[in-house]
Amino acid sequence: MVNGRVVLESFPAGGPRGSWPAEEFARDRRSEGQRAEVVMDLSTDAFLVIVRGAADLADS
């Protein structure tokens, strides 16, 4: 957990044209009841799927 966020998955920014794997992954997590969202990590040039304020997820 970093800054009250749990990173669920990381996806490279240079995905195939028309493909949004981070958004699809986040949508699937939201359908499971998690409050997942996609953010850009500029330092690694990657999209991160995160859950904010999810300390309970870090322990599982």
Side-chain angles (χ1 to χ4, degrees), residues 2-57:
V2 177
N3 297 327
R5 299 175 294 184
V6 174
V7 177
L8 300 177
E9 192 65 56
S10 174
F11 297 88
R17 185 180 191 102
S19 174
W20 299 93
E23 292 291 345
E24 293 165 2
F25 184 84
R27 180 196 63 222
D28 293 343
R29 299 302 72 79
R30 287 190 296 267
S31 72
E32 296 171 351
Q34 293 182 344
R35 295 176 53 189
E37 61 183 284
V38 178
V39 297
M40 180 69 183
D41 181 4
L42 296 175
S43 64
T44 61
D45 195 32
F47 291 107
L48 306 177
V49 179
I50 66 164
V51 177
R52 295 182 194 270
D56 55 323
L57 287 178

